[in-house]
Amino acid sequence: MFSASQSSKAQFLDKARQAREERREQKERDRAAVQIQALVRRFLCRCQLQREIRREVDDFLEANDPGPGRRTALSIFRTSRKLLFVFSFQNDKERFENLCRCILNSMDAENEAKVWYVSLALSKDLTLLWIKQVKDILWLSCEYLKQLKPDILQDSKLVNLHLTMLVTFTDTSTWKILRGKGEALRPAMNHICANIMGHLNQKGFYSVLQILLTNGLARSRPSLSKGTLTAVFSLALRPVVAAQFSDNLLRSFLIHVMSVPAMVTHLATLTPERLGVIDSHGLFRRFLLFLSHEEQCRDVCVCLEGSHTLCLLGNLICLSSLNDKVLEGETARFVSVLIHLLSYCQKYVSQKKSNLTHWHPVLGWFSQTVDYGLNESMPLLTKQLQHLWGIHLIRILFRDVLSKKLQENPDLAPAAAPPASPQNSLPMKSLFKRAFQKSASVRNILKPVGGKRVDSAEVQKVCSVCVLYQMALTTLTQIRLQILTGLTYLDDLLPKLWAFICELGPQGGLKLFLECLNNDTEGSKRLLAMLMLFCDCSRHLITILDDIEVYEEQLSFKLEELVTISSFLNSFVFKMIWDGIVENAKGETLELFHSVHGWLMVLYERDCRRRFAPEDHWLRKDLKPSLLFQELDKDRKRAQLVLQYTPHVLPHKNRVLLFRNMVTKEKEKLGLVETSSASPHVTHITIRRSRMLEDGYEQLRQLSQNAMKGVIRVKFVNDLGVDEAGIDQDGVFKEFLEEIIKKVFDPALNLFKTTSGDERLYPSPTSYIHENYLQLFEFVGKMLGKAVYEGIVVDVPFASFFLSQLLGHHHSIFYSSVDELPSLDSEFYKNLTSIKRYDGDTSDLGLTLSYDEDVMGQLVCHELVPGGKTMPVTNENKISYIHLMAHFRMHTQIKSQTAAFIGGFRSIIKPEWIRMFSAPELQRLISGDNAEIDLEDLKKHTVYYGGFHGSHRVIIWLWDILANDFSPDERAMFLKFVTSCSRPPLLGFAYLKPPFSIRCVEVSDDQDTGDTLGSVLRGFFTIRKREPGGRLPTSSTCFNLLKLPNYSKKSVLREKLRYAISMNTGFELS
């Protein structure tokens, strides 16, 4: 009973609770419905109101009432308030434009104060409301300007409309209400305009102008008209002038206006009057003054980032070229500002591509975000930057250097002209006389003299300018060559800069700069930047000058000055290496080393090709070869660096010794040297004399690299298929190698061709007619490499350009194909350089960027660039044509042949072994010394057989004939007769393998069975079986052996020997 009553009570309570919940939810629904209805009604009312207001605005704006009852300022004000009350940026665009036109029309009314919209500013009740309304309307115009594209015709009209609004209401000059008696109101009105402009600035007015200017000017052809650009620039300038050039507004102007790509160039082109305004306000000087504060300059750079900082730099440089007086007075400040801007950009310039870098057409790989929208304007920006290395600015910035006079040498002053005589009047005499007078009046040769304090204002100023240009070279990486070319355009800048460098410090030159290397001060860095700029520019100049300009015309530098400069550079580089500076060098120090070393090597290679320096000029007398060799054995870093960077400081013979030591060490390492405990592996080959080249190629090309370097024994088979007598103890292999080399380098085979003139060898362009010609070239490279490896000299004269390629010089960025061209074809070189000097219109010559060649009776046209046969050679591209032609003749035509040959050669001779030789020195390594034969050295290292000895009368006659009766050419023929090479070994006859030998013979070679006891005794005691007067001397070149009959008279010996060497009757195998 009790439990049943409790259950009914719980149910009752649940029902009551549910009823309460339902009532509460119903109330919530009712309240929500009322709220929604209110919102909807409010929205519908608002929409209706907006429609009504917009209808009223439309009715007002569409009304056409030009008569006396035209729209008043008050009606415009009220309509504007209505429109602003309901304004939608998207929906009311056209209404707003019509309103702007309406307002501007009201301002154009004549003598109708009630119509002028600006008249409301004089109403006490409406002034504040009117000012607020104007601010709102002008900012809406700014918002629309951000969206418009000036290159679209319709948009350009709207740009003009909104700009007119801004121009009209930010300055009182066009307000008709202020004419006449209203002039007294102008100060108050100006104050209102300043208030409006201040409001716009706070909202971001300069950002709007920047967007508009960038949209209209950051392109190859500007889309802003003269009027539009004038209006924008005037608007940008107004706040600055109004604020009396405050730092805050100058900052905004620099960041938003002066950073627009090529802004100054467009002003000069479209509206040059604006440049006059800039000048009248002294803006360029004010910019420099503002940016000369490092913190302010850094702040501007950080706001702009790299791309726009570069645009600001370009505009400042362009302004400087238009303001000479300001630049001359503010040179130090101008240079300082440019250094700050460039150094900011340089921090983000990267040497290589990565995930964090972007490509910039002027800066290269750049680790900041690049605005690719500016790319179209980069050519114009580059033109602006070019002013910096143009003649005009260089003359101003380097005026302290260029004002120096390179003194004439008083000791060489031309003597007074003698009275005229019949001899002196001869044309040739007159010519020589004029030439002498010209050479006698040359300037003093510039040598380090010292005397100028490095902390003087003049030196610091020049250092700053050098730092600026060095900074430009390392930052503007993609136009580096343009900068170098500009800096070398004035012939006297670099000689005068060298003269300036020579005067620095108490003693001048080397000592000062070596001290700077050890001082990590700002002053030292600036001095080294001067040296670095001098080296970079001079190297570029000498690289682009041809031999006529360097040696005959002596442009910029006299040859004697090049000698002095190269001596300074040689000492500086050597000291940097030997004193351990290069070992740990990083950053600027390493860049300096590469700069100075690069200039040094350009001069050294030029001297190797054509001498201008005296004998032993490049050697370091204070470096003992023995000390260097000891340090190399101990793996000292500085010794290795000397050998890597400046091997020429060592005498040539010491380098050859070092080369032979390197070869010997490798032979020992590979087990190719005979020892008491082991013998090297020997490769045996059989060669048919009638097919020597074919058999040698087939049997040797398959050998491994180490087998080619090892011992190779040759057995010859004669035409009858019978093995020839004779055991090869290197002699027969030497003959085989010499014969192979003689065959493959014979131009008749057409693997190699001779140059015109000095007949030196290089790969034949038509060698492709041979089957497997590339494998043949590789084989020939291996054979030559083997000869050099074994120290066998072969008489193979190579063209200089081909030796340069063998050394790898053609991969250097300073290599010039044109400089090497005379070694291929001197006549062709003269013809090409005549095009360079041609003063007329080069297109009249009828040349194209192609090369026509007669290939086996057919005319073949080679295009130097794609489509080259249709591209005429003009004054603009003739330098490129010359370089392309030289590169084609010496590289492109024989590229594959050269690569195959070098591959074969380097498989035997490591590239680092021969890197310490110049091209002429490599030729000497291959073909022996080109010095005269040292007979005393030859006599000292001669071995005698068959009864001959040093005091034998025939031997005494022989040496006397060679010394006193034979000419140097005949002595060379004699050496070639015995050894097959007319040149002595580089290190002397002690290194001739096998040694030079002379043997007494009694019978002809076909009857000769070698030395017997009887024949030796007869030879020793000069006992003859029969008079050998009818027989000639012969030789075995493979053994370097001279076979000499026991002649009875000296005259007979002289006659027979001269005949034998002239008829070349040697080359027989014993």
Side-chain angles (χ1 to χ4, degrees), residues 731-750:
V732 179
F733 178 72
K734 175 177 178 285
E735 185 202 7
F736 162 72
L737 195 59
E738 289 168 349
E739 287 296 316
I740 282 279
I741 286 173
K742 193 196 307 182
K743 285 178 185 291
V744 294
F745 287 109
D746 185 351
L749 187 63
N750 196 35

Side-chain angles (χ1 to χ4, degrees), residues 602-634:
V602 165
L603 287 176
Y604 174 68
E605 285 165 18
R606 177 80 75 164
D607 183 62
C608 290
R609 197 168 57 250
R610 182 173 170 183
R611 294 301 295 267
F612 64 78
E615 199 71 34
D616 297 340
H617 170 73
W618 303 97
L619 301 181
R620 291 290 304 181
K621 303 286 193 306
D622 54 343
L623 176 64
K624 293 182 179 179
S626 57
L627 173 63
L628 184 74
F629 292 168
Q630 286 172 15
E631 296 216 356
L632 283 171
D633 289 338
K634 295 174 183 175

Side-chain angles (χ1 to χ4, degrees), residues 448-701:
V449 290
K452 187 168 285 188
R453 288 180 62 87
V454 295
D455 56 354
S456 66
E458 180 192 4
V459 173
Q460 290 303 311
K461 189 175 174 183
V462 175
C463 283
S464 294
V465 175
C466 291
V467 169
L468 166 63
Y469 282 106
Q470 194 58 41
M471 188 79 73
L473 285 170
T474 52
T475 305
L476 312 176
T477 59
Q478 299 311 296
I479 52 175
R480 178 184 169 87
L481 289 180
Q482 286 186 33
I483 302 172
L484 289 170
T485 303
L487 288 169
T488 55
Y489 191 80
L490 286 176
D491 286 341
D492 57 342
L493 175 60
L494 292 175
K496 287 181 177 179
L497 186 57
W498 172 245
F500 191 85
I501 289 171
C502 288
E503 294 176 355
L504 296 177
Q507 296 172 321
L510 186 64
K511 188 173 181 182
L512 170 69
F513 288 103
L514 287 173
E515 287 173 358
C516 288
L517 284 171
N518 297 314
N519 297 333
D520 194 24
T521 62
E522 196 60 36
S524 297
K525 288 179 181 177
R526 290 156 67 84
L527 282 168
L528 292 173
M530 182 194 297
L531 176 63
M532 193 169 168
L533 182 73
F534 171 73
C535 290
D536 285 343
C537 293
S538 302
R539 177 183 62 200
H540 179 74
L541 175 66
I542 294 297
T543 302
I544 60 177
L545 292 180
D546 57 44
D547 283 357
I548 295 170
E549 292 164 328
V550 172
Y551 292 93
E552 276 81 37
E553 297 174 2
Q554 297 189 29
L555 292 181
S556 287
F557 293 108
K558 304 297 177 189
L559 290 180
E560 295 87 346
E561 287 165 5
L562 291 181
V563 172
T564 307
I565 291 168
S566 59
S567 177
F568 166 83
L569 298 173
N570 206 34
S571 299
F572 187 78
V573 170
F574 176 74
K575 287 284 187 184
M576 279 191 81
I577 295 172
W578 203 247
D579 293 348
I581 296 170
V582 177
E583 288 182 40
N584 306 309
K586 293 177 183 176
E588 292 173 355
T589 308
L590 194 59
E591 286 177 16
L592 171 69
F593 173 76
H594 287 309
S595 178
V596 180
H597 177 258
W599 174 211
L600 171 67
M601 295 315 292
V602 165
L603 287 176
Y604 174 68
E605 285 165 18
R606 177 80 75 164
D607 183 62
C608 290
R609 197 168 57 250
R610 182 173 170 183
R611 294 301 295 267
F612 64 78
E615 199 71 34
D616 297 340
H617 170 73
W618 303 97
L619 301 181
R620 291 290 304 181
K621 303 286 193 306
D622 54 343
L623 176 64
K624 293 182 179 179
S626 57
L627 173 63
L628 184 74
F629 292 168
Q630 286 172 15
E631 296 216 356
L632 283 171
D633 289 338
K634 295 174 183 175
D635 287 333
R636 292 275 172 84
K637 186 69 175 176
R638 69 176 186 176
Q640 293 169 350
L641 289 172
V642 165
L643 214 57
Q644 180 182 346
Y645 289 110
T646 56
H648 56 259
V649 300
L650 270 180
H652 178 240
K653 286 202 171 181
N654 292 105
R655 280 179 278 143
V656 176
L657 265 175
L658 190 60
F659 170 77
R660 298 285 4 139
N661 288 343
M662 288 173 175
V663 172
T664 303
K665 282 181 180 177
E666 188 186 76
K667 284 186 173 182
E668 289 171 355
K669 185 179 177 182
L670 297 175
L672 303 177
V673 179
E674 187 89 38
T675 62
S676 55
S677 58
S679 296
H681 173 74
V682 177
T683 301
H684 293 275
I685 59 172
T686 303
I687 304 295
R688 292 170 291 179
R689 278 202 178 271
S690 58
R691 293 180 58 82
M692 192 179 293
L693 178 58
E694 293 85 346
D695 287 354
Y697 171 69
E698 285 299 328
Q699 293 185 58
L700 292 178
R701 74 186 182 93

Side-chain angles (χ1 to χ4, degrees), residues 23 65 68 76 115 131 164 261 575 614 634 671 710 722 877 884 1054:
R23 287 194 300 272
D65 185 12
I76 294 173
V115 176
I131 291 172
T164 307
K575 287 284 187 184
K634 295 174 183 175
V722 178
N877 66 10
L884 286 168
R1054 180 172 52 244

Side-chain angles (χ1 to χ4, degrees), residues 310-354:
L310 198 62
C311 296
L312 172 61
L313 180 76
N315 282 318
L316 289 176
I317 290 170
C318 194
L319 264 183
S320 71
S321 68
L322 301 169
N323 290 271
D324 287 1
K325 289 183 180 178
V326 177
L327 182 59
E328 286 171 8
E330 301 285 351
T331 301
R333 208 166 257 143
F334 173 72
V335 170
S336 172
V337 167
L338 262 57
I339 289 172
H340 285 322
L341 295 175
L342 282 168
S343 63
Y344 176 80
C345 292
Q346 191 188 53
K347 288 191 299 185
Y348 301 99
V349 172
S350 179
Q351 297 300 318
K352 56 187 178 180
K353 180 181 179 180
S354 72

